[in-house]
Amino acid sequence: MNTPFPQKPRIAVVGAGALGCYYGARLAKAGEDVHFLIRSGRAAIMARGIKVKTPTERIHIKKAQVYGTSEEIGPCDLVIVAVKATANDQLKKLLPPLIGEHTVVLTLQNGLGVEEPVADIVGAHRTAGAICYIGSYRTSPGVIECTFPGLMMVGEFGRPAADRTHAIAALFNRAGVKCEAHNNLEEQRWRKLVWNVPFNGVAIVAGGITTDVIMADEGLCTLARRLMEEIIDAAAKFGHNIPRSFLELQFERTVKIGKYRPSSLIDFEEGREVELEEIWGEPVRRAKSVGAAVPRLEMLYWLLRRMITARKGKFRRR
Amino acid sequence: MNTPFPQKPRIAVVGAGALGCYYGARLAKAGEDVHFLIRSGRAAIMARGIKVKTPTERIHIKKAQVYGTSEEIGPCDLVIVAVKATANDQLKKLLPPLIGEHTVVLTLQNGLGVEEPVADIVGAHRTAGAICYIGSYRTSPGVIECTFPGLMMVGEFGRPAADRTHAIAALFNRAGVKCEAHNNLEEQRWRKLVWNVPFNGVAIVAGGITTDVIMADEGLCTLARRLMEEIIDAAAKFGHNIPRSFLELQFERTVKIGKYRPSSLIDFEEGREVELEEIWGEPVRRAKSVGAAVPRLEMLYWLLRRMITARKGKFRRR
């Protein structure tokens, strides 16, 4: 961990969804040595490259370095995991060929418990994580629309930021991605849940509604607040002090964004995997393991689990 | 209240849904003097009468005494309110012409707070209530399918059973309706909620599922149990002692009935009014007024309220 992170790292991006393409294209455009591991939609990306549209610019990486297997890429300095947590069973096969002695594996996944599966494969000392506050979606293979570039927060798994963490933050900042290194990655993950748990969850369970509908409904708005309080109280039992003012800030922010369709609702309605365990299941289990009362969070988890299970019969897996 | 209830009472049945037709037809078949106040589907019932099919018999009241206004019926000894609580604003007009000095008004409505609107119109001393454990539905005007005749429990509003309560129970029993007089109507109402709150509610919120699906889902089954516990604990604060064995009995019963579509789910899916306030809203308000913790019940109420509001746009009112 104290080995200097190279100035010109060899980078692998695992997964070509919205996040993998967006951050990978940013890094490639900045002249970094980026290797994309892509399993579906590879032919399209090899033919047309990666296109990213943001509110202020258009990026086109015409000749992306694209691979179908990890073996073709080989060991890297930085491996960015941009597949969904629901595809984590594939990592056991995908990651090992990319790992060298000083490789850092940075998972961009959402929710709690996402570093552990990576650490089990590559070792905790190689594992880092990032929390991405970003609005982006894939319109077709390699074509990404970014509505809100936002902010990335990087941190180490179970320890404070190291030199390499700051180096990775600097790498992203040089590539035009606003990025901060944090000393407590897990606290940042709990903070992100304060918004994601109520708004992503209630949007699905209350019948497929946007955030403005939740904000305009007195009951659902109070429910969102109670869920946030449960998350904040549970986080406190793990020593993470999230002030109540952070809760109010979430509501102010949500009013500002207006009619917004949370990402989990989009995934749910379009038949894609929803990060059920990472956003709801694992927080419930962790909270209960320390005796935090999370009756509403647990109820939300149970309802979502049933609805997601039932929905699977209606869609083909992608 | 101590005036003897007549041996041959003049009876009005307000409403011609499944319950009004079923109990009215039973009483008429037993030779009672039953007057039906029917506002929609009257022509069909005047032409073809009322037909009831039970698991063991068929009843056909060819010439039911059918009226379009309360004034045509005039004062009765017993008025059976068989319109939905959601239609209670009509009672202010419908009830007064039916009331004499010793009239008893018996509401068959579900949930909590259903006697109060009747008492506000006719006086608390005239008000009684019945809890109907019955499986029945209307297939067309005046045509009722009864799958499970069950049991009726009658009681007085806010006081123990009186002579007239026992007389009404005897009247129903003579007509082939198993009926018991109870000294504590409100406790019986809380007891019925122990099943109705979780199963009617979760069936809707979890995406339109039958009771067997709830029983087979570990999370939803635990949720049903937690909701039952909240109801039992809230009822205890009002002095109603519902033993835990009653909770277990509900589960045993639910396993036995197999694939069952709760009545509120049918109402919800077919665009009819759901007894939202009586089954969920009023229990939440009463529980909170005495400091009982009902986080899951309240969350269920909020979710149902939103879903029912949203659904109203999709259906015409019937």
Side-chain angles (χ1 to χ4, degrees):
Chain A
M1 223 177 308
N2 294 317
T3 311
F5 192 77
Q7 265 299 105
K8 179 82 175 178
R10 201 159 190 269
I11 302 171
V13 174
V14 180
L19 292 193
C21 284
Y22 176 78
Y23 293 118
R26 281 270 182 215
L27 291 166
K29 196 202 167 197
E32 300 295 341
D33 181 25
V34 185
H35 306 262
F36 292 89
L37 176 61
I38 302 178
R39 281 141 57 85
S40 88
R42 192 165 67 249
I45 293 175
M46 289 180 85
R48 297 192 299 268
I50 296 174
K51 292 180 185 176
V52 172
K53 192 178 153 194
T54 81
T56 54
E57 62 187 308
R58 284 168 190 269
I59 301 168
H60 187 184
I61 307 299
K62 284 176 188 162
K63 292 215 180 297
Q65 302 185 77
V66 174
Y67 307 82
T69 66
S70 304
E71 286 77 4
E72 293 168 73
I73 300 176
C76 290
D77 301 299
L78 175 64
V79 175
I80 298 173
V81 175
V83 293
K84 274 217 168 161
T86 46
N88 272 354
D89 51 348
Q90 298 167 16
L91 293 182
K92 276 190 284 292
K93 190 171 158 286
L94 299 181
L95 289 184
L98 303 172
I99 306 304
E101 198 185 338
H102 303 295
T103 306
V104 183
V105 180
L106 180 78
T107 176
L108 308 189
Q109 295 172 350
N110 236 330
L112 288 189
V114 299
E115 282 86 10
E116 286 80 347
V118 171
D120 286 347
I121 300 166
V122 305
H125 61 291
R126 288 197 183 87
T127 305
I131 296 157
C132 307
Y133 289 94
I134 182 173
S136 65
Y137 54 94
R138 192 181 78 156
T139 55
S140 63
V143 183
I144 308 304
E145 176 96 22
C146 172
T147 52
F148 169 68
L151 172 66
M152 179 187 272
M153 290 179 176
V154 293
E156 295 287 329
F157 175 47
R159 37 177 203 277
D163 287 349
R164 70 181 191 191
T165 330
H166 293 283
I168 291 169
L171 173 77
F172 277 109
N173 279 307
R174 284 197 305 271
V177 174
K178 199 175 161 199
C179 185
E180 294 173 2
H182 269 266
N183 279 323
N184 194 331
L185 178 63
E186 193 181 286
E187 178 173 321
Q188 295 301 321
R189 293 207 170 275
W190 280 99
R191 280 178 175 251
K192 192 169 186 193
L193 290 177
V194 171
W195 195 90
N196 272 353
V197 159
F199 285 99
N200 281 271
V202 173
I204 295 175
V205 166
I209 57 179
T210 45
T211 52
D212 56 323
V213 178
I214 297 174
M215 293 302 291
D217 183 299
E218 195 193 334
L220 297 188
C221 207
T222 309
L223 173 58
R225 182 174 289 269
R226 297 281 166 275
L227 285 163
M228 286 181 180
E229 288 165 353
E230 289 183 6
I231 294 285
I232 290 174
D233 291 347
K237 296 234 178 190
F238 288 98
H240 308 309
N241 179 29
I242 306 175
R244 293 280 150 157
S245 59
F246 183 77
L247 185 159
E248 300 304 337
L249 194 69
Q250 303 306 304
F251 278 107
E252 289 167 26
R253 203 186 122 217
T254 309
V255 168
K256 267 188 208 147
I257 58 174
K259 186 182 170 73
Y260 180 76
R261 199 163 158 238
S263 59
S264 298
L265 175 62
I266 298 176
D267 289 338
F268 178 78
E269 293 188 335
E270 300 191 357
R272 291 198 297 263
E273 297 281 347
V274 176
E275 292 145 320
L276 173 70
E277 296 304 329
E278 293 72 22
I279 301 181
W280 297 277
E282 188 64 18
V284 167
R285 288 185 287 271
R286 291 199 186 183
K288 295 186 81 171
S289 76
V290 292
V294 286
R296 299 171 189 85
L297 170 58
E298 187 177 50
M299 177 167 167
L300 185 59
Y301 169 57
W302 285 333
L303 290 171
L304 286 167
R305 189 171 63 181
R306 167 67 210 166
M307 293 172 76
I308 290 166
T309 307
R311 184 211 55 164
K312 278 185 182 164
K314 296 186 196 156
F315 289 94
R316 274 172 308 172
R317 268 177 168 243
R318 296 191 188 188
Chain B
M1 224 177 303
N2 295 317
T3 312
F5 192 77
Q7 264 301 106
K8 179 81 176 182
R10 200 159 191 269
I11 302 170
V13 175
V14 180
L19 292 193
C21 284
Y22 176 78
Y23 294 118
R26 280 269 184 215
L27 291 166
K29 197 203 166 196
E32 300 296 342
D33 181 26
V34 185
H35 306 262
F36 291 89
L37 175 61
I38 301 179
R39 283 143 53 86
S40 90
R42 192 164 68 248
I45 293 175
M46 290 179 87
R48 297 191 300 267
I50 296 174
K51 291 179 187 177
V52 172
K53 193 178 151 193
T54 79
T56 55
E57 62 188 308
R58 283 167 191 271
I59 300 167
H60 187 185
I61 307 300
K62 285 177 187 159
K63 292 215 180 296
Q65 303 185 76
V66 173
Y67 306 81
T69 68
S70 304
E71 286 77 5
E72 294 168 72
I73 300 175
C76 290
D77 301 300
L78 176 63
V79 175
I80 298 173
V81 175
V83 294
K84 274 218 168 161
T86 46
N88 272 353
D89 51 349
Q90 298 168 17
L91 294 181
K92 276 190 283 292
K93 191 170 158 288
L94 299 179
L95 290 183
L98 302 171
I99 305 304
E101 199 183 336
H102 304 296
T103 306
V104 184
V105 180
L106 180 76
T107 176
L108 307 189
Q109 294 172 350
N110 236 331
L112 287 188
V114 298
E115 283 85 10
E116 285 80 349
V118 171
D120 286 348
I121 300 167
V122 305
H125 62 292
R126 289 198 183 86
T127 306
I131 297 156
C132 307
Y133 289 94
I134 183 174
S136 65
Y137 54 94
R138 193 180 78 157
T139 56
S140 64
V143 184
I144 309 304
E145 176 96 22
C146 172
T147 51
F148 169 68
L151 173 65
M152 179 187 271
M153 289 177 177
V154 293
E156 295 288 329
F157 174 48
R159 37 180 200 275
D163 288 349
R164 70 182 191 190
T165 331
H166 292 284
I168 291 168
L171 173 77
F172 278 109
N173 279 306
R174 285 198 304 273
V177 174
K178 200 176 161 196
C179 185
E180 294 172 3
H182 269 265
N183 280 322
N184 195 330
L185 179 62
E186 193 181 286
E187 177 172 320
Q188 295 302 321
R189 292 207 171 276
W190 280 98
R191 278 177 177 253
K192 193 170 184 193
L193 291 176
V194 171
W195 195 91
N196 272 353
V197 159
F199 285 99
N200 280 272
V202 172
I204 295 174
V205 166
I209 57 178
T210 45
T211 52
D212 56 321
V213 178
I214 297 174
M215 293 302 291
D217 183 300
E218 195 193 335
L220 297 187
C221 207
T222 308
L223 173 57
R225 183 174 288 270
R226 298 281 168 272
L227 286 163
M228 286 182 180
E229 288 165 353
E230 288 184 6
I231 294 285
I232 290 173
D233 291 347
K237 295 233 179 191
F238 288 97
H240 308 310
N241 179 28
I242 306 175
R244 294 281 150 157
S245 59
F246 183 77
L247 184 158
E248 299 304 337
L249 194 68
Q250 303 306 304
F251 278 107
E252 289 167 27
R253 204 186 122 217
T254 309
V255 168
K256 268 189 208 144
I257 59 175
K259 187 180 169 74
Y260 180 76
R261 201 163 157 237
S263 59
S264 298
L265 174 62
I266 298 176
D267 289 339
F268 179 79
E269 293 188 335
E270 300 190 358
R272 291 198 297 264
E273 297 281 347
V274 176
E275 293 146 319
L276 173 70
E277 296 304 329
E278 293 72 23
I279 302 180
W280 297 277
E282 188 64 17
V284 167
R285 289 185 288 270
R286 292 198 186 184
K288 294 186 81 172
S289 75
V290 292
V294 286
R296 298 171 191 85
L297 170 57
E298 187 177 51
M299 177 167 168
L300 185 57
Y301 169 57
W302 286 332
L303 290 172
L304 286 167
R305 189 170 65 181
R306 166 68 210 165
M307 293 174 76
I308 289 167
T309 307
R311 186 211 53 165
K312 278 186 182 159
K314 294 186 196 156
F315 289 94
R316 274 171 309 172
R317 271 180 167 238
R318 299 193 185 185

